[in-house]
Amino acid sequence: MAKVLMKGNEVIAEAAVHANCKYFFGYPITPQSELVAYMAKRLPEVGGLFLQAESEIAAINMVYGASSAGVRVMTSSSSPGVSLKQEGISYLVGSELPAVIVNVMRGGPGLGSIQPAQSDYFQATKGGGHGDYHIPVLAPASLQEIVDLMHDAFDIADRYRTPVILMADGMLGQMMEPVEFKEKQHVELPEKDWATTGTRGDGGPKIVNSLRLDPKELEEHNRHLQKKYEKIKEKEVRYEMYLAEDADYIVVAYGTVARIVKNAIHKARKEGIKVGLIRPISLWPYPQKPFDETREKVKAYLTVEMSAGQMVEDVRLAVNGKSPVHFYGRTGGMVPSHEEIYAKIMEMVGGES
Amino acid sequence: MELVFKKTTGLKDTPTHYCPGCTHGIIHRLVGEVLEEMDILEDTVGVASVGCSVLSYEYFNCDMTQAAHGRAPAVATGLKRVLPKDRFVFTYQGDGDLASIGMGEIVHAAARGENITVIFVNNAIYGMTGGQMAPTSIIGQQTATSPAGRDVALQGSPIRVSELLATLDGAAYIERVSTHDVPNIIKTKKAIRKAFETQKKGLGFSMVEILSTCPTNWGLDPIESLNWVKEKMVPVFPLGVYKQKEGVN
């Protein structure tokens, strides 16, 4: 298929359609509204359904209902809207229902702004709603990567019976880039024999439920969830390493920021400073391996985020006190420039050497 | 021996957790009987809400999905919209769930004309949570959170859900019934049947509001409770059909 020039939010929507998602329940919010509008037009064309809910809360619960019936279903929102969805996300986890939730992040807290941010990292990777749980979180850095990751997002959701979050920042949602939609190889996934579709032809009544009043039973359920997370940690870690092999210093960044970091790295390399990049693609499970591989030879790490410092905590855990970890962040919808990041790299180099 | 009566296959053979004198058991049985008589048990997915009826997924003999507090109409929307057209979806909700935290979801499900059936059990109090004031508590009613009695100046007036939803074009059939005596229980069953028939015909949103008892939290015995429904609740929540679109019969 030829490359097409598309806007990020529309790429997310089209990628979901290519991943065989035919059902979308959503609510408009900037900067992801084009995604909702695209689905409204596109899904009827493929025999699917788009429904605009009365609120983000209703949208996520419609997703819960549709997922109970065993279909591939998605919702999307931006930061304040995702906060509203947290109740439903916790219920999806509790009932082990697969779904894909897109967060095109904007600045916060509160109503914040409509400019790009990465300040929902904690919310996405550390639970977000009530209860002990994790959600696989995928963070693309380009529109083509959105296309490639969307299949994985739905497959992970179905394979492990879990919601999956696709984290983009407002920049990715609003930018335009050429993308190619390739056919994906068939992946074996478990039967959805748990779905509540009526009992005709399949024996006794099925129940989709997150209530377990017996503490022993609930603990058992939590153990089961934690076991599932261990499996996800083993199998679903994704990251990119860029110019990291000979690096003396490493910058850690994800999403849009990682692309800006690459420019800063190029500038530093021209000055003879060996800087590389670790770009986590799965924010949960967080990639430990690239840190284990680099920790011995790297003098220091610099984490760059569009937040006041959230992922940096996972970097510090990954490094476990064995190397210095610096941080540079912008908030409020401010996007760091490669000059700023270059200056921070030079500061780190100066400070360390 | 000739078998003259048997339990409905619409319910599982499981003892319920409901308090003595509570009419949830009667309403469960009526819903079960209707599903059995219409021969749609195997085509039905029920949505359990939060509150006393949270465990109804253990009792109805059909597929069941349990929803978050108030969100059952949204969950039912998701189910109904993606299931094959011949499937039935109903929610079973109490007044705290439907009229308080879930007011947004029920209003919009009705406004969209979702082709689902809502069984709305109104006992004018939060049952499972322990007897707090509900949006449907009547003026002067003493509850854990209105110990001096519901006062209009402080807590406003009870919400009449059937009347409210009947104003919406998407509502096809809305009737308020009661379980305080046998003739009314028979009427309740007819209304439930009509609601599911409305869904079968694809006419839109149907809801049966059923006045019900809560002896434990009202502090009354079962007989007094039935009288309280008749004498105190019915005047505030008049029985009858509030909406019946053409084609519903």
Side-chain angles (χ1 to χ4, degrees), chain A residues 142-163:
Chain A
S142 72
L143 302 199
Q144 186 60 53
E145 196 173 34
I146 289 172
V147 174
D148 302 336
L149 281 180
M150 193 55 93
H151 283 278
D152 290 353
F154 278 100
D155 290 349
I156 291 169
D158 284 344
R159 186 172 302 122
Y160 302 99
R161 290 183 62 179
T162 176

Side-chain angles (χ1 to χ4, degrees), chain B residues 148-168:
Chain B
R150 184 174 188 162
D151 172 6
V152 177
L154 182 64
Q155 295 123 333
S157 307
I159 297 174
R160 296 183 183 90
V161 175
S162 288
E163 288 86 331
L164 189 152
L165 297 184
T167 65
L168 300 167

Side-chain angles (χ1 to χ4, degrees), chain A residues 216-229:
Chain A
K216 274 191 221 147
E217 210 184 297
L218 182 56
E219 187 173 51
E220 197 44 52
H221 181 57
N222 270 289
R223 278 204 190 112
H224 159 72
L225 291 178
Q226 295 302 324
K227 247 188 230 164
K228 173 156 91 178
Y229 301 146

Side-chain angles (χ1 to χ4, degrees), chain B residues 5-205:
Chain B
F5 179 80
K6 68 174 183 63
K7 269 180 151 174
T8 173
T9 58
L11 296 178
K12 291 176 190 164
D13 194 12
T14 311
T16 70
H17 70 288
Y18 298 116
C19 300
C22 165
T23 48
H24 262 307
I26 294 171
I27 301 165
H28 272 39
R29 187 175 131 191
L30 298 179
V31 172
E33 284 177 355
V34 166
L35 294 177
E36 182 189 3
E37 287 164 21
M38 286 177 71
D39 194 22
I40 56 170
L41 257 177
E42 294 189 321
D43 303 321
T44 298
V45 182
V47 182
S49 58
V50 170
C52 289
S53 56
V54 67
L55 294 173
S56 62
Y57 57 78
E58 298 280 13
Y59 309 143
F60 288 112
N61 193 18
C62 60
D63 275 4
M64 293 290 292
T65 294
Q66 203 288 315
H69 44 188
R71 319 300 178 212
V75 171
T77 298
L79 274 161
K80 182 73 186 185
R81 296 282 186 137
V82 308
L83 282 170
K85 292 273 177 260
D86 60 353
R87 302 300 203 277
F88 291 78
V89 175
F90 75 94
T91 72
Y92 190 103
Q93 304 177 257
D95 45 81
D97 182 84
L98 180 142
S100 195
I101 194 165
M103 187 57 109
E105 281 77 9
I106 195 69
V107 166
H108 286 275
R112 284 191 303 269
E114 288 299 337
N115 197 35
I116 59 171
T117 295
V118 173
I119 307 296
F120 170 38
V121 181
N122 178 0
N123 61 9
I125 205 161
Y126 280 76
M128 180 69 99
T129 326
Q132 295 82 4
M133 191 188 77
T136 46
S137 294
I138 64 175
I139 307 298
Q141 186 179 341
Q142 287 182 310
T143 72
T145 50
S146 59
R150 184 174 188 162
D151 172 6
V152 177
L154 182 64
Q155 295 123 333
S157 307
I159 297 174
R160 296 183 183 90
V161 175
S162 288
E163 288 86 331
L164 189 152
L165 297 184
T167 65
L168 300 167
D169 293 344
Y173 168 62
I174 290 177
E175 182 168 357
R176 183 184 291 123
V177 290
S178 176
T179 48
H180 68 264
D181 59 21
V182 173
N184 277 290
I185 289 170
I186 292 167
K187 273 188 197 163
T188 299
K189 183 172 173 184
K190 278 186 184 152
I192 293 170
R193 169 102 191 200
K194 215 154 132 180
F196 279 100
E197 294 285 358
T198 302
Q199 187 178 164
K200 190 175 186 178
K201 289 176 189 164
L203 294 171
F205 181 85

